[in-house]
Each structure stands twice: as structure tokens, then as C-alpha cells.
Amino acid sequence: DELNSKSYNVPLIENFKIIERPADQTTITKRFSKKVIELVHQYKEDNFFIYLAHSLPHIPLYASVEFLGKSKRGLYGDVIEEIDFGVGQILTELKKLKLEKNTIVVFTSDNGPWLTYKTHGGSAGLLRNGKGTTWEGGMRVPAIFWGAGIVSKSVNEMGSTLDLYPTFMSISNISYKDDNKLDGVDLSEVLFNNGSSTREIMPFYNGSELYAFRYKNYKLHLKTSSWFSKVETHDPPMLFDLEIDPSEKYNISEDNPEKINEILKIVKIHKEKIVYGDDQLESRD
């Protein structure tokens, strides 16, 4: 029974210590939110950075008794509503402690829906495909920034979680070594001053292999694959104009060889700048 959280013998770990096994995943969302509120109180007189990575709505899905069966979207909707409620509790607590004027909250996701699990996997709307692919449905996710001074608006320009680090450093007036090679860009002008994003490129990798590459509103697909499907190499690469075709339905490569060559030159420069690190997975015991 998927709703029986004890059927998955997964541990709940705090400070490298297992505090519960099997973890009761029907209560995990509210417990994560409660822990964040505890940490906010603990460090309210100091600077703090809290990274809350909800394990849900990754499958298998669970919701507490307070939210189970309450949404119109089924179990997936119940899970999302409980996460939303927890975020609201955290924001309310920040306001109670008068920290909202000196705190930035970012809400985003790591990937698109896991379509294999149908209604339990989420939806990418009009975007093509989902998790595990380099199509827009697998990679493009929403992001919400909340905090004092942030201009209230909708932004359709490119941004990445890679940009969070340099943005936070800029907001905090913290400098970093010039020899640090950062892939991110500072988005503070976008957030606070109605500026435009300086991000023009976005590479899409599968492991260490480049599958797709975006330059401004154009996206080049060198290779594509989906869950349990073979990798397909495209020569010439497929080309889509995401400004007018966010669903990546219409391959315009045949009519735009110059644009393909332009982007391939940028891809070459990108690859030449890559500094490969050690594979940390291979070194594990």
C-alpha cells in the first residue's frame, strides 16, 4: 500500500544520526516546516542560511491526515497544498519576528514532472516532456523570490539555480576570489531594480555529456532521450525558438543554418572553458 509509509524502510537523519526508521512520511512535510521555524528562532539574532529540500512531491506520495483527500488534484494536490501551508507558516513566523525586511526566501524546484507516474508525477503544462530529459518540461521550472525590496513582477528571462550563489553574495556585499570560475550570474538587478538578466546561455547536460544548449531565445538539441528510450543524435541539431514555441513543437533547423552555426561556435567556446573536477561518486567507499 503506497500510503503506508512504514512499508518503505527509509531513515530520518538529523546531524548524521538516525532518529527514526522507518520514517513516518505522512508527517514529514509538517516536520520539515516545523524544524525550519525552530532554526529561525534559534538564529534570529544572527545571520542564517536555511536550505529546505522537501522530499515530497517525489514519489511515493504522502500527506498528513489534515490534508489527505482535501484537494481537487488528488493525492498530488494534497501534497502540494501541505507544502504550501508549511511555506506560509514559515513566512508568517518571519513576519512575527520582524525578519521579513532582512530575509530573502526563494521557492523553486529541481526538475520537471516524473511523467512515468502519471497523476502522481506532476505536470509541465504546455512544456514538452518531463524529468530525466533535456526538453523544457524536464528542465524549466518556476521560481518565486520573496523579500523586502524585491520588485513585484513576472520575469520571463533566463535564470538558473546556478545564479543563486553570486546573487546572494552580491546582496550580502560579500566578495569572492577572482580566480573562482562561476557558472552563475548576479540576478540582483533583476530582483531589485527592474533590470534584465545577463544570462544569455544555458547548457543542458546528461551526466558529463552536452545534450542541448540555449542561446537567448533559441535552443539547440544535439541529442535527446526520454525515460527508457534510446539516445537519439541529431545532425544537424534540432533548433527551436522558445519565444514563440515554448512547447518545442516546431523544429526550425532547416530554415536557420546560420543560427545553428552561430550557436555551435558558442558551444565550442563553452566547452573550451570547462574545467573538469574529480568524479566524487567514484571515490566513495
Side-chain angles (χ1 to χ4, degrees):
D1 181 6
E2 188 173 16
L3 295 181
N4 179 9
S5 69
K6 298 296 179 70
S7 64
Y8 291 87
N9 188 27
V10 293
L12 181 62
I13 301 173
E14 183 173 14
N15 295 327
F16 302 102
K17 180 182 178 182
I18 296 177
I19 60 174
E20 182 178 302
R21 186 165 196 165
D24 183 358
Q25 296 187 71
T26 63
T27 64
I28 204 69
T29 295
K30 67 167 64 175
R31 291 161 78 180
F32 282 168
S33 300
K34 181 181 178 182
K35 187 63 180 181
V36 168
I37 291 173
E38 290 176 2
L39 290 172
V40 168
H41 277 267
Q42 182 178 346
Y43 295 103
K44 63 183 179 181
E45 303 296 336
D46 200 355
N47 298 321
F48 60 82
F49 174 86
I50 299 175
Y51 173 51
L52 169 58
H54 279 291
S55 55
L56 297 167
H58 193 287
I59 58 94
L61 301 179
Y62 300 99
S64 68
V65 292
E66 293 90 346
F67 287 88
L68 188 62
K70 298 299 174 63
S71 81
K72 295 181 180 180
R73 178 58 172 78
L75 180 56
Y76 189 90
D78 299 341
V79 171
I80 298 301
E81 288 195 2
E82 185 159 18
I83 292 173
D84 179 70
F85 180 78
V87 172
Q89 288 181 308
I90 294 168
L91 298 184
T92 297
E93 207 64 31
L94 289 172
K95 292 176 182 177
K96 285 182 180 178
L97 297 173
K98 302 188 184 306
L99 295 175
E100 79 278 9
K101 293 183 179 180
N102 194 34
T103 305
I104 300 294
V105 178
V106 183
F107 186 90
T108 189
S109 179
D110 56 349
N111 50 252
W114 204 347
L115 299 179
T116 305
Y117 289 91
K118 301 176 182 177
T119 59
H120 280 199
S123 170
L126 58 76
L127 302 180
R128 183 170 177 175
N129 220 302
K131 177 180 177 178
T133 77
T134 50
W135 295 104
E136 289 295 279
M139 294 290 186
R140 186 191 290 198
V141 295
I144 300 172
F145 286 76
W146 178 93
I150 294 178
V151 179
S152 180
K153 60 181 176 179
S154 175
V155 177
N156 293 316
E157 298 170 21
M158 256 199 296
S160 167
T161 47
L162 294 169
D163 303 330
L164 292 179
Y165 173 68
T167 301
F168 291 159
M169 295 288 277
S170 174
I171 293 171
S172 305
N173 293 317
I174 300 174
S175 59
Y176 46 83
K177 294 181 180 179
D178 291 335
D179 58 352
N180 282 1
K181 304 299 182 183
L182 299 182
D183 294 307
V185 301
D186 179 7
L187 297 178
S188 57
E189 285 296 313
V190 181
L191 297 174
F192 298 100
N193 295 314
N194 272 320
S196 298
S197 172
T198 58
R199 174 170 289 284
E200 291 189 329
I201 69 168
M202 190 68 224
F204 298 82
Y205 280 89
N206 185 343
S208 60
E209 193 169 4
L210 186 67
Y211 268 44
F213 195 90
R214 179 172 173 179
Y215 174 60
K216 296 184 177 179
N217 56 302
Y218 289 96
K219 185 175 176 185
L220 205 67
H221 282 277
L222 305 165
K223 295 185 176 184
T224 54
S225 66
S226 300
W227 285 98
F228 309 114
S229 70
K230 292 182 179 180
V231 176
E232 186 176 356
T233 301
H234 303 283
D235 186 15
M238 291 193 294
L239 182 68
F240 298 91
D241 184 348
L242 299 180
E243 184 74 22
I244 59 176
D245 180 26
S247 301
E248 296 173 289
K249 289 183 177 180
Y250 309 109
N251 179 12
I252 58 173
S253 61
E254 186 175 337
D255 297 326
N256 294 274
E258 298 86 0
K259 179 59 67 174
I260 290 177
N261 289 332
E262 178 188 0
I263 298 175
L264 287 176
K265 289 178 182 178
I266 299 172
V267 169
K268 183 175 183 294
I269 295 171
H270 162 75
K271 287 184 174 181
E272 290 172 348
K273 290 182 177 180
I274 292 177
V275 178
Y276 289 94
D278 296 330
D279 188 333
Q280 296 180 355
L281 294 178
E282 285 189 358
S283 62
R284 294 193 307 178
D285 294 333

